[in-house]
């Protein structure tokens, strides 16, 4: 009996510890566990961040936007590419702890160059940026923690802030994600790339694809990419466009009729 109680206590303790690790991996908070988990994640994803930044082929005048920047390694890589031009690096992060760490890390760059901007974004479906602003939007180890029913609207918002012809890049590494699944930090369906490809296509991104690459340091890794079409009508259903046009015309005629009625009343 005592042995069974001890086994149950150990199992419950392990479950709680695993749950805490999973929560800290998704949204680090200011604590010893948060510091360790965020450092571990940054060390494991650093090379993948390098490959994602290389993939974007950044110009010195480009405007870049990272979602979920963590400890800011990729933001630093991007800053080094735009610091001598007119470009800027933007980033949003749900974790207040990571946000605080990044602001401290880039305090000089923010004060002296104004080329790094760090924002909080509780809801990625409502970003504080104008339409057609960024040349590139990117993220690493992010979409796994986003709710399925929010993915499409989040990607529609990312599409909005991208310039026509701009690119979205997502970096991931199946082997590392499988290990996290084995350790009960992630569920396999969370990082299934097909759910993200589907969300990008549904949000009306163009040229959505996943490519497999190999690197001598980290082995195989995957890059999901998509673009914002330069044709504002590309990918849209013709019947839906006609319905929208008809509705807009009705609204215009109604507004015109109301204005005429007002003018006729004033002439009486």
């Amino acid at each position: 009996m005592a042995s069974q109680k001890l086994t149950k206590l150990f199992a419950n303790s392990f479950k709680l510890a695993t749950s805490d690790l999973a929560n800290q991996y998704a949204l680090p908070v200011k604590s010893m566990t948060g510091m360790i988990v965020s450092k571990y994640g940054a060390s494991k994803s650093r090379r993948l961040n390098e490959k994602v930044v290389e993939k974007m082929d950044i110009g010195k005048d480009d405007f870049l936007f990272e979602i979920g920047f963590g400890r800011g390694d990729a933001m630093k890589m991007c800053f080094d590419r735009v610091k001598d031009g007119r470009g800027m690096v933007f980033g949003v992060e749900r974790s207040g702890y990571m946000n605080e760490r990044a602001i401290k890390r880039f305090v000089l760059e923010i004060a002296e160059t104004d080329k790094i901007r760090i924002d909080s974004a509780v809801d990625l479906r409502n970003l504080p940026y104008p339409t057609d602003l960024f040349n590139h939007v990117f993220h690493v180890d992010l979409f796994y923690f986003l709710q399925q029913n929010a993915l499409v609207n989040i990607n529609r918002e990312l599409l909005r802030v991208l310039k026509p012809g701009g690119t979205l890049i997502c970096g991931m590494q199946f082997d590392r994600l499988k290990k996290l699944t084995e350790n009960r930090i992630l569920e396999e369906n969370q990082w299934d790339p097909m759910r993200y490809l589907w969300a990008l296509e549904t949000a009306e991104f163009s040229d959505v694809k996943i490519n497999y690459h190999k690197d001598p340091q980290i082995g195989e890794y995957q890059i999901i990419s998509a673009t914002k079409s330069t044709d504002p009508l590309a990918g849209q259903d013709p019947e839906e466009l006609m319905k929208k046009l008809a509705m807009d015309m009705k609204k215009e005629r109604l507004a015109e009729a109301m204005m005429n009625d007002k003018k006729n009343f004033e002439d009486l």
Side-chain angles (χ1 to χ4, degrees), residues 11-106:
N12 288 337
S13 298
F14 178 77
K15 186 177 181 180
L16 286 171
T18 302
S19 177
D20 184 44
L21 283 174
N23 290 335
Q24 293 283 6
Y25 197 87
L27 189 67
V29 298
K30 195 171 185 177
S31 64
M32 181 62 71
T33 306
M35 181 186 71
I36 293 172
V37 170
S38 63
K39 278 190 173 182
Y40 173 81
S43 67
K44 290 296 182 181
S45 63
R46 180 171 179 79
R47 182 61 177 170
L48 183 57
N49 275 306
E50 290 177 355
K51 304 307 292 185
V52 167
V53 172
E54 287 176 11
K55 175 69 176 176
M56 289 189 287
D57 191 24
I58 298 167
K60 65 180 182 179
D61 297 328
D62 286 351
F63 276 56
L64 316 166
F65 176 40
E66 182 177 14
I67 314 155
F69 50 73
R71 299 180 76 89
D73 290 342
M75 290 190 75
K76 176 63 167 63
M77 299 171 199
C78 291
F79 171 77
D80 289 340
R81 286 164 169 77
V82 302
K83 62 183 179 182
D84 296 323
R86 292 177 294 177
M88 287 185 66
V89 183
F90 293 70
V92 295
E93 175 61 71
R94 290 190 305 161
S95 168
Y97 174 48
M98 292 292 94
N99 204 299
E100 178 185 324
R101 297 278 311 184
I103 289 173
K104 288 181 179 178
R105 176 175 182 173
F106 297 117

Side-chain angles (χ1 to χ4, degrees), residues 20 27 53 69 83 90 143 153 166 171 178 190-191 205 219 224 234 250:
D20 184 44
L27 189 67
V53 172
F69 50 73
K83 62 183 179 182
F90 293 70
F143 81 84
N153 286 333
K178 287 176 182 176
Q190 286 181 266
W191 55 269
F205 271 92
I224 293 175
K250 286 180 181 179

Side-chain angles (χ1 to χ4, degrees), residues 123-143:
D123 188 351
L124 293 175
R125 293 167 293 187
N126 294 289
L127 295 171
Y129 308 120
T131 300
D132 298 343
L133 178 62
F134 300 109
N135 300 91
H136 306 283
V137 173
F138 70 101
H139 53 85
V140 172
D141 291 337
L142 173 83
F143 81 84

Side-chain angles (χ1 to χ4, degrees), residues 197-209:
L197 292 169
W198 168 83
L200 288 168
E201 290 177 345
T202 305
E204 299 183 354
F205 271 92
S206 301
D207 196 24
V208 178
K209 57 189 175 185

